[in-house]
């Protein structure tokens, strides 16, 4: 479960850790004009890894809604860069008009940067629900001190090995989403139907508490999307028969369909803990539907599976696929 960080001192510490982490992974400083629709920030000192850039600054003097600016985008050879996404955070308390915020995981104690999913860019169709549906993002429930909750997309942990990688993936996905909007890919009947289904799903089930992995040197929680992508590439490389295609929905991490029928179902977990295995078994059984569908639970190889859990997988005809996660890559074993 994630708890919203509202204390001013804790927010300041989270922001400081975030900037230090990005600074280590983005070692180059470049002077660029940062542009957006209707304005620009001239001669800004941005941090870069040669492909992506980050810039941060307080925005509080004489403004009605003070915040910390956290801007991300891609960098090129020109003198100007464009903002891909702003993950600005409040200086204190809860402020839902600001898209970014920090939250702490109650299981591993780590702090994460989250984004509401609200993205700008001016084009019609650049909106939260369309982005979440198009990218198959997971919306986490974040609980505030008053017992209420809000939705959030996990951008990155504020510290730890490989912490910036999920943020880079998030920025690139938003860039590709905006291109898809311009190309009309998000306005097809299939895309709109998917968006409606996703919204209905989260309206009905949002707020569910989910068990998460305990702290490890490498943060498995924030790397879930990277594992799913590696699984997709691995499955495609294995080869698909005529008429087969890889699919992904809000209900299932990955699948292979043959025409209208799902013939393989994959669910990725970030640990082999009982809670994750229980959930994975249920998801695979519920969403694979057909007895002829192969069910595969994908778990990390660094923690052995308890014997009774392994027996439960065998009884339910669920195969086990292991993966290894390092700071820079995912390997399916």
């Amino acid at each position: 479960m994630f708890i919203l960080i509202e204390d001013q001192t804790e927010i300041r510490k989270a922001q400081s850790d975030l900037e230090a982490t990005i600074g280590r992974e983005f070692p180059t400083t470049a002077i660029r004009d940062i542009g957006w629709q209707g304005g620009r920030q001239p001669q800004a000192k941005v941090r870069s890894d040669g492909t992506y850039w980050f810039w941060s600054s307080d925005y509080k003097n004489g403004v009605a809604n003070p915040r910390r600016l956290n801007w991300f985008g891609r960098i090129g050879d020109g003198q100007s860069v464009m903002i891909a996404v702003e993950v600005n955070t409040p200086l204190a308390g809860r402020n839902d008009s600001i898209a970014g915020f920090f939250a702490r995981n109650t299981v591993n104690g780590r702090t994460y940067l989250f984004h509401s999913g609200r993205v700008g860019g001016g084009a019609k169709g650049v909106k939260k629900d369309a982005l979440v549906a198009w990218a198959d993002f997971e919306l986490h429930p974040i609980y505030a001190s008053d017992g209420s909750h809000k939705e959030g997309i996990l951008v990155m942990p504020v510290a730890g090995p490989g912490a910036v990688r999920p943020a880079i993936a998030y920025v690139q996905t938003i860039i590709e989403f905006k291109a898809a909007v311009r190309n009309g890919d998000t306005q097809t009947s299939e895309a709109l139907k998917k968006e409606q289904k996703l919204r209905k799903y989260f309206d009905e089930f949002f707020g569910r508490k989910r068990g998460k992995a305990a702290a490890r040197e490498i943060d498995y929680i924030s790397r879930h999307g990277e594992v799913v992508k590696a699984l997709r590439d691995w499955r495609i490389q294995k080869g698909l028969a005529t008429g087969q295609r890889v699919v992904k929905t809000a209900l299932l991490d990955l699948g292979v369909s043959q025409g209208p029928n799902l013939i393989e179902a994959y669910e990725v977990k970030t640990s082999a803990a009982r809670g994750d295995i229980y959930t994975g078994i249920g998801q695979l059984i519920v969403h694979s539907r057909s007895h002829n569908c192969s069910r595969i639970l994908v778990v990390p190889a660094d923690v052995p599976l308890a014997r009774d859990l392994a027996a439960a997988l065998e009884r339910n005809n669920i195969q086990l696929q292991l993966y290894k996660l390092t700071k820079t890559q995912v390997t399916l074993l």
Side-chain angles (χ1 to χ4, degrees):
M1 185 170 77
F2 290 98
I3 301 297
L4 182 68
I5 295 177
E6 302 176 60
D7 178 75
Q8 183 175 12
T9 301
E10 290 188 64
I11 291 176
R12 188 182 300 118
K13 172 65 164 54
Q15 180 68 37
S16 176
D17 290 344
L18 174 75
E19 293 181 30
T21 298
I22 295 177
R24 286 191 292 270
E25 297 294 327
F26 284 24
T28 302
T29 299
I31 305 299
R32 295 288 190 274
D33 290 347
I34 303 175
W36 63 90
Q37 189 176 25
R40 71 188 184 102
Q41 175 70 39
Q43 297 295 289
K45 290 184 179 181
V46 302
R47 300 302 298 252
S48 173
D49 67 346
T51 304
Y52 299 90
W53 62 268
F54 169 79
W55 180 79
S56 187
S57 178
D58 277 340
Y59 183 69
K60 62 181 181 179
N61 296 329
V63 299
N65 199 12
R67 53 197 178 274
R68 182 71 178 181
L69 305 178
N70 292 309
W71 295 353
F72 295 85
R74 283 185 67 100
I75 198 166
D77 296 330
Q79 293 303 308
S80 298
V81 292
M82 297 297 294
I83 301 172
V85 62
E86 300 182 37
V87 194
N88 305 328
T89 55
L91 302 181
R94 174 176 177 173
N95 189 333
D96 291 346
S97 67
I98 299 173
F101 54 91
F102 296 105
R104 180 173 295 109
N105 182 274
T106 59
V107 176
N108 65 19
R110 284 182 167 146
T111 298
Y112 298 83
L113 175 67
F114 280 84
H115 188 236
S116 68
R118 298 198 311 268
V119 287
K124 182 179 179 181
V126 177
K127 57 182 182 177
K128 173 182 174 178
D129 285 356
L131 168 65
V132 174
W134 183 84
D136 291 306
F137 281 135
E138 179 179 6
L139 288 174
H140 296 270
I142 315 297
Y143 293 88
S145 58
D146 62 1
S148 63
H149 61 255
K150 60 194 293 185
E151 299 174 343
I153 301 169
L154 195 156
V155 177
M156 63 174 285
V158 300
V164 180
R165 288 181 61 83
I168 290 174
Y170 188 58
V171 172
Q172 183 58 38
T173 298
I174 289 177
I175 291 171
E176 293 172 2
F177 165 70
K178 291 181 178 180
V181 171
R182 290 193 298 270
N183 295 334
D185 296 340
T186 62
Q187 294 300 305
T188 65
S189 59
E190 182 179 353
L192 293 174
K193 185 177 181 180
K194 182 180 178 183
E195 181 181 335
Q196 292 169 356
K197 284 185 176 180
L198 179 137
R199 186 69 266 164
K200 181 179 179 182
Y201 171 78
F202 283 111
D203 286 345
E204 291 177 354
F205 297 104
F206 181 73
R208 233 176 3 179
K209 297 180 181 179
R210 301 180 182 180
K212 296 295 180 181
R216 284 173 274 184
E217 181 185 3
I218 294 177
D219 188 345
Y220 279 60
I221 294 173
S222 67
R223 304 282 291 278
H224 177 270
E226 188 177 347
V227 177
V228 173
K229 184 180 183 302
L231 176 66
R232 177 184 182 276
D233 294 342
W234 171 81
R235 182 59 188 86
I236 291 173
Q237 288 172 5
K238 287 183 64 177
L240 297 169
T242 303
Q244 292 182 353
R245 64 189 182 98
V246 174
V247 296
K248 187 181 187 305
T249 72
L251 304 177
L252 199 64
D253 281 328
L254 201 76
V256 175
S257 66
Q258 178 85 47
N261 301 316
L262 189 68
I263 61 172
E264 296 177 23
Y266 296 83
E267 187 61 35
V268 174
K269 294 302 172 186
T270 56
S271 85
R274 288 186 177 273
D276 279 349
I277 302 302
Y278 292 160
T279 303
I281 291 173
Q283 289 170 300
L284 288 169
I285 291 175
V286 171
H287 301 305
S288 61
R289 297 182 183 179
S290 170
H291 291 295
N292 297 323
C293 180
S294 297
R295 305 181 180 106
I296 302 96
L297 188 62
V298 185
V299 299
D302 61 347
V303 179
L305 191 66
R307 290 183 179 179
D308 59 339
L309 295 178
L313 296 181
E314 185 175 355
R315 286 195 306 272
N316 288 279
N317 295 317
I318 296 175
Q319 303 169 45
L320 197 63
Q321 174 63 52
L322 302 179
Y323 67 88
K324 183 178 180 181
L325 189 63
T326 68
K327 180 180 176 181
T328 58
Q329 67 180 22
V330 180
T331 304
L332 277 297
L333 303 178

